[in-house]
Amino acid sequence: MGNYLAKADLHLHSKASNLPGGWFSQLINCPESFTEPQEIYKRLKERGMTYITITDHNTIDGVLEIAHLPEVFISCEYTVFFPEEKAKVHVLVYGIDEKIHQDLIKLRENVYEFVKYLKEKDIAHSLAHPLYSVQDTRITKSLVEKFVLLFDNWEIINGTRGEGLRIVEEKIARLYDGWEKIRQLEERYNIQSLRSREHITFTAGSDDHGGLDLGRTWTEAKASSKEEFLKAIKEGHTSVGTEELGYERVLNMVGRIAYDYLSRRNTIPKHVKPFLDFVFMHSDNFFSELFVRNLFGTNAPRHYIFKEIINKLPFMSLERLIREFSLTHLGETILSFILHSLPLVILSQQKKEEDNAKRIAMNLGLNNGKPMRLAYITDTYFDINGVARSSKIVRYLASTYNLPVDVIAVGNKQDREDNLVLLTPMTEFSTPFYEEFKLRVPSLVELLDVLKGYSHIHVATPGPLGIMSILVAKLLNLPLSFAFHTDVPSYAYKYTNSSDLKDWLYKALVFICHLADRVFVPSETYLKTLVEKGVSANKIKVFKRGVDTELFSPSYREKDFFQKNFGIPTKGNVVLYVGRVSKEKNLDTFLYCAKVFPEDTFIVVGDGPYRKDLEERKPKNTYFVGYLTGLSLAKAYASADVFLFPSETETYGQVVLEAMASGLPVIVSSKGASHEHVQEGINGFIANSPEDFAEKLNRILGNPYLREFMSKEALSYARSMDLKESYLNYIDSIMSLSGVKA
């Protein structure tokens, strides 16, 4: 045998595979392939294949068209039956002639007679995609063990299957190494083994039906002729290789077959046909390539261009629809978004196959644990709010302690940080009632490419990114958790006074909770709320966040801080509010108290859609300073005397903890969850109405000894809530779900 390393794609299809491949193909009578054998030959040679073959389904008509060429050997993929299992498998047979093909067609009804014939005739063959369910065949432990008894070669890499199958199939093959194990299987099933070697060896092929990915997966062996190459397959002297695997190959296949099907029916518009001919490799026209690449802004390899188009086309179509509405543009936009979802459908099917393979391996006693890595999903990261702050803490801890956690958000990719993955915003729109906060929509294709590498998905926000991530998690069968951080239904009610809208939003929220494997809430109050709305209590876990007591501390108190930094002529006591300036925060109560205490100073730190309205109605002793962060915020807390927080919709009240850590007694609402931090009369007060807030504030301001006592108790409580420990426990609780759907 020669020393030349020869390569061949040992699994591929031409137009001779002319039967429909699935229920939809059957419905429209669309064949599995339209690819011409001559195109296959040309592309395989361009991609470095030494020897050429075609393995159509149960026919050699395609390969016979190029069989006269010296590098070609005749092959076929046969559907063969296990009579006692009512099961079917695909067997790839290489280096045959027309007489042998006719014999094999007759023997397909019995796999044992089929393989026996191949052995007697010394014909090279391999079991195609061993763990793939051929025509709904149920892959069982007994069926796999019969594969072991029959086949010396397994196709270990198939270009259209998922990335994880190779490892599983190779582990199974290695599990049965040795004649002793083969003899044990013979006794178990009372079947004589037809194996020639005690070790299973491997082949590989693209399984291409569309012509775009031919030769990107291959089998190689040292051979200086095709006869030597076939001998290497029979004797197990092969190795396998592949370019990157992924759903893109099936996407190309579906796209090319659909395009060829429509072209033959003259339904492709003439003005786009030259460009689609380039995309699907029917032509190499330079100007078509230039136009397509410029239009979609891509330098991707040619076999990824179709993916780039369906990634960007929906947003281009949507922009045009908004600019110029018409029914035609509407139809094109809808169709483009349907195409945009196609990768998710394909990958979910591949993931299902991979999960089935893992279950089979587990039944055989193999461990297929995937390295854990958590995707922490948030629609808000660079904004100023509690959810964004939590996301930043998770990312910081992941980076500091080298945790297998990444925060996934939508934003400018120049804002790079460790353990932060940013997706490109394809479109964005303002949040109702809160125009400053933008909801950014990423590409589903880009999101899918990111999330397929994770073992668990945690969704911190029910925005566009969060909802899309839930969809991906469910279709990829990944463990999913959800955090209820924001009481959106109550917010909506505050702005609209619509009970129907509030009820509808709670139903949507409960639906999301039902989809999740676990739901995290920041307080006992909202645990009860979700249970009352219909979420199982067993699914809910309370996560209480700690506070950064190094940043928020009484030591940062500065005399005349507000005068020096904001020009505020403070008098009397400083009563502080920190948070979003919006209607749901009940800041009218804050203004009410300011009017009751005209000799004291009331300061609002934060911004939002309600600020202008409040500033028009505020008394003279009330001031708005806008957003503060970091040390400036810490100094603002510490330089105040009382923290008054009237919000009735808080799911936790992180700012209450920050105020306590700064040594401030607090007054909070009895509604929402902020009051869970407060021991009445010890570290603060809980109020029920504007008048009650004013009365409780009067008790603190009028009694310096009480204020000092409450300050110490508030500080003590905050320091008992360790930030790092609480978040590490939170991450650990989420990660514990990673094995739920193994």
Side-chain angles (χ1 to χ4, degrees), residues 83-100:
E84 78 283 10
E85 291 266 359
K86 295 183 178 179
K88 302 174 186 177
V89 293
H90 284 167
V91 182
L92 297 158
V93 182
Y94 307 111
I96 59 176
D97 57 28
E98 293 179 73
K99 171 64 172 63
I100 291 173

Side-chain angles (χ1 to χ4, degrees), residues 679-710:
Q679 293 174 276
E680 180 73 6
I682 305 297
N683 58 9
F685 285 118
I686 302 170
N688 301 304
S689 65
E691 294 78 14
D692 199 16
F693 269 97
E695 193 275 328
K696 299 290 175 58
L697 181 58
N698 184 54
R699 289 171 64 181
I700 294 177
L701 297 181
N703 189 338
Y705 298 104
L706 176 62
R707 187 170 68 196
E708 184 178 354
F709 170 75
M710 284 187 165

